[in-house]
Amino acid sequence: MLTQTSPTLADGTKVADLVNVDTREVQMRTLSDPELYELEMERIFGKTWVFLGHDSEIPNSGDFVVRDMGSDSVLVTRDKSGDVHVLLNVCPHRGMRISTMDAGSTQIHTCIYHGWAFRPNGQFLGAPVEKECMHGKIRTKDELGLKKARVALYGGLIFATWNIDGPSFDEFLGDAKWYYDMLFQRTDRGMEVLGPPQRFIVRANWKAAGEQSAADGYHTLTLHRWLGEVGAYSKKGEGEGAGGDLSPEMYGVEISSPHGHALRCIDLGRKIRRLTGLDPDALSVDEKLEVLPPAGMTKEMVSQLKNNLTEGQLQVQTTMPPQVGGIFPNVLFGFVYIPQADGTALGTMTMHAYVPKGPDKLEFVNWIFAEKDAPPEIREKMLKQTIQLFGTSGMVEQDDSDTWPHMTLAAKGAMGKTMTLKYQAVYETGKPEGWPGPGIVNEGFTKDDTQWHWWLHWRELMTAER
């Protein structure tokens, strides 16, 4: 348990008071305040586990990519032993960036300023004109290596933290890991990236996107209404889901986490009925996996699930599988079904990171994945359709990235910053009968609980003892 304190902002406001626990409200100034932003870089991105990419982006010895941990640039490298390292992209000599590129491959990272050289594991090799000992004799070479973060690999996903002695990665995931394993640890060979991530800048505070990634399903009804009105998404006639009505998709199971993680689990039975005409209640677990494999998998890969998932996880996978959610503080993932013109469904696997670039600017980074065992024709379709929907120019992202700047601008107003974000739609249901999974579980129409728990963890970290 973190020891609580409460830093005070320059105007005398306590950070703890920005989140009203009793009324479930958050002051809008949290989406624009520069002083808060600096505290977040230290207390959130400087302390918690941050997602940086996937190990298939650096498959070979010497490969590296440059990413951001909050306001710090880092090198994500692979050494000759195959180990992955995350290194502060700052030369310990005079503070120059070691790499000014986005990616590359080298066994020696050389600073362009004075030529100090480092191995992919951060070890300092030396400085030019060795006989003159230009690195001095006050510090040993071992003391002059690049600053190293603590690294965790999870299903190939690369996470890192500067909190070297803090909670383990498993502790960070908590109960949510049981569900994340169904997405990231479900196959024998795992997944890989389909090319480098897409990136674009949004003039918005990172939390406007981050809190939405905490499983906000409600906005789909209005912001993404077109999903029920055009193409293969539309359904003419009468009954559930007809006439562009997306409200049936708002019912399901949602998992909250004290660590701010969140998942939306959507009824698979509705999709089976709609796509196949079969009655899901009359199908066994194996039969449901056969007629509608998990998003991103083919029928030929389904047998691998039993190698990697428990009976309880298979039960959830064939009734209310997790499809959309977030990993605190700034990650959204989507393992969703895209209806096809021929009446079938194509699975998509994508992850977004909302990288803070200032109080009113974020970088949207989008990774697209496929299972390593997926056939080439499926991978190609997944890549194309994911880009069209969830990529930097995707139709869904055009909607979402339009709202966040407006929220950030409103939070700068003299009156706007005094308004509050409200999370007062509260679940009163609890978990479904016989639900096998852990966590804070509720069923029914989507509510605000997952996002509220995101803000509670933000508050916990922002007010923790340094």
Side-chain angles (χ1 to χ4, degrees):
M1 178 67 71
L2 295 172
T3 302
Q4 296 303 116
T5 181
S6 187
T8 302
L9 302 179
D11 67 355
T13 301
K14 289 186 176 182
V15 172
D17 293 339
L18 296 173
V19 178
N20 189 320
V21 177
D22 294 328
T23 64
R24 294 171 61 116
E25 295 177 71
V26 179
Q27 290 190 28
M28 277 190 65
R29 69 181 287 184
T30 56
L31 301 184
S32 66
D33 193 303
E35 195 175 357
L36 274 178
Y37 178 82
E38 294 303 321
L39 280 172
E40 289 168 346
M41 296 305 101
E42 173 194 338
R43 294 184 170 226
I44 294 179
F45 289 90
K47 293 296 184 183
T48 195
W49 289 91
V50 178
F51 173 62
L52 298 175
H54 194 269
D55 69 351
S56 60
E57 296 181 78
I58 48 170
N60 304 309
S61 171
D63 290 351
F64 72 92
V65 293
V66 175
R67 297 285 153 80
D68 291 294
M69 289 178 65
S71 54
D72 289 306
S73 174
V74 294
L75 288 159
V76 183
T77 68
R78 189 180 294 276
D79 66 18
K80 288 184 177 180
S81 299
D83 294 328
V84 174
H85 303 271
V86 174
L87 313 166
L88 186 64
N89 191 17
V90 175
C91 182
H93 182 216
R94 299 286 168 80
M96 175 61 190
R97 285 196 170 197
I98 296 297
S99 179
T100 57
M101 299 186 293
D102 289 333
S105 186
T106 181
Q107 294 294 343
I108 300 177
H109 293 271
T110 304
C111 177
I112 63 171
Y113 195 9
H114 294 95
W116 282 32
F118 306 86
R119 295 192 188 280
N121 65 1
Q123 178 187 1
F124 176 56
L125 287 172
V129 195
E130 184 178 5
K131 68 178 182 179
E132 297 296 338
C133 195
M134 293 303 295
H135 64 278
K137 298 180 180 179
I138 295 176
R139 293 189 180 274
T140 66
K141 283 189 174 183
D142 288 342
E143 295 177 291
L144 295 174
L146 300 180
K147 183 176 179 63
K148 300 181 69 169
R150 185 178 170 197
V151 177
L153 293 182
Y154 174 62
L157 303 174
I158 302 170
F159 289 82
T161 180
W162 298 117
N163 194 0
I164 305 301
D165 299 318
S168 69
F169 182 70
D170 282 357
E171 290 172 323
F172 164 72
L173 291 186
D175 287 340
K177 184 179 184 299
W178 192 89
Y179 302 95
Y180 292 153
D181 284 353
M182 297 166 60
L183 304 173
F184 305 118
Q185 303 266 52
R186 64 187 184 178
T187 58
D188 296 342
R189 298 181 62 230
M191 60 186 189
E192 60 187 355
V193 293
L194 296 179
Q198 300 175 303
R199 295 154 49 180
F200 70 106
I201 295 295
V202 183
R203 297 295 305 191
N205 185 275
W206 72 273
K207 294 187 297 303
E211 64 93 36
Q212 181 188 303
S213 71
D216 176 13
Y218 187 43
H219 76 281
T220 306
L221 285 174
T222 47
L223 189 62
H224 304 314
R225 180 175 173 80
W226 61 268
L227 283 168
E229 297 176 338
V230 301
Y233 288 91
S234 62
K235 179 182 178 183
K236 309 200 183 308
E238 299 179 357
E240 184 181 277
D245 180 16
L246 294 173
S247 59
E249 293 298 319
M250 298 300 102
Y251 290 89
V253 170
E254 293 187 352
I255 294 97
S256 299
S257 165
H259 300 103
H261 313 311
L263 299 104
R264 291 195 69 229
C265 302
I266 302 172
D267 186 1
L268 193 69
R270 287 199 300 269
K271 289 180 170 53
I272 291 176
R273 287 188 186 93
R274 185 166 179 167
L275 292 168
T276 70
L278 299 172
D279 178 7
D281 296 331
L283 302 177
S284 66
V285 167
D286 290 340
E287 288 170 334
K288 283 187 278 190
L289 291 173
E290 177 73 16
V291 298
L292 190 58
M297 295 183 67
T298 63
K299 293 180 181 180
E300 293 73 24
M301 299 163 60
V302 163
S303 61
Q304 297 182 29
L305 293 173
K306 292 185 177 180
N307 299 336
N308 298 284
L309 302 183
T310 66
E311 185 176 335
Q313 288 170 321
L314 287 172
Q315 176 187 330
V316 171
Q317 182 63 62
T318 53
T319 53
M320 291 279 182
Q323 294 186 44
V324 181
I327 302 174
F328 187 89
N330 65 331
V331 172
L332 177 142
F333 57 82
F335 284 63
V336 300
Y337 298 93
I338 304 177
Q340 303 295 291
D342 62 1
T344 61
L346 177 74
T348 180
M349 301 158 57
T350 185
M351 292 184 71
H352 308 330
Y354 307 114
V355 181
K357 291 290 185 178
D360 59 0
K361 186 166 71 173
L362 66 86
E363 184 178 46
F364 184 117
V365 187
N366 176 47
W367 288 263
I368 301 172
F369 295 98
E371 296 288 352
K372 290 179 180 177
D373 288 337
E377 62 273 14
I378 294 295
R379 297 158 69 90
E380 184 177 351
K381 288 179 69 176
M382 289 175 65
L383 178 61
K384 180 180 179 180
Q385 295 194 25
T386 304
I387 289 173
Q388 291 172 338
L389 279 177
F390 304 108
T392 53
S393 59
M395 294 181 288
V396 170
E397 305 313 336
Q398 289 182 47
D399 295 339
D400 288 332
S401 61
D402 184 52
T403 63
W404 306 327
H406 289 297
M407 295 164 67
T408 302
L409 284 171
K412 292 182 178 182
M415 288 294 102
K417 67 183 180 183
T418 68
M419 301 295 288
T420 59
L421 309 169
K422 297 172 180 64
Y423 302 87
Q424 295 164 344
V426 183
Y427 271 116
E428 298 175 345
T429 53
K431 64 177 63 177
E433 184 178 353
W435 184 264
I440 307 167
V441 182
N442 288 281
E443 69 172 330
F445 193 87
T446 183
K447 293 293 194 294
D448 295 335
D449 294 60
T450 55
Q451 291 175 278
W452 178 239
H453 282 97
W454 187 95
W455 276 110
L456 288 180
H457 193 51
W458 178 89
R459 181 180 185 269
E460 180 183 18
L461 293 177
M462 290 289 283
T463 59
E465 189 175 75
R466 296 179 65 174

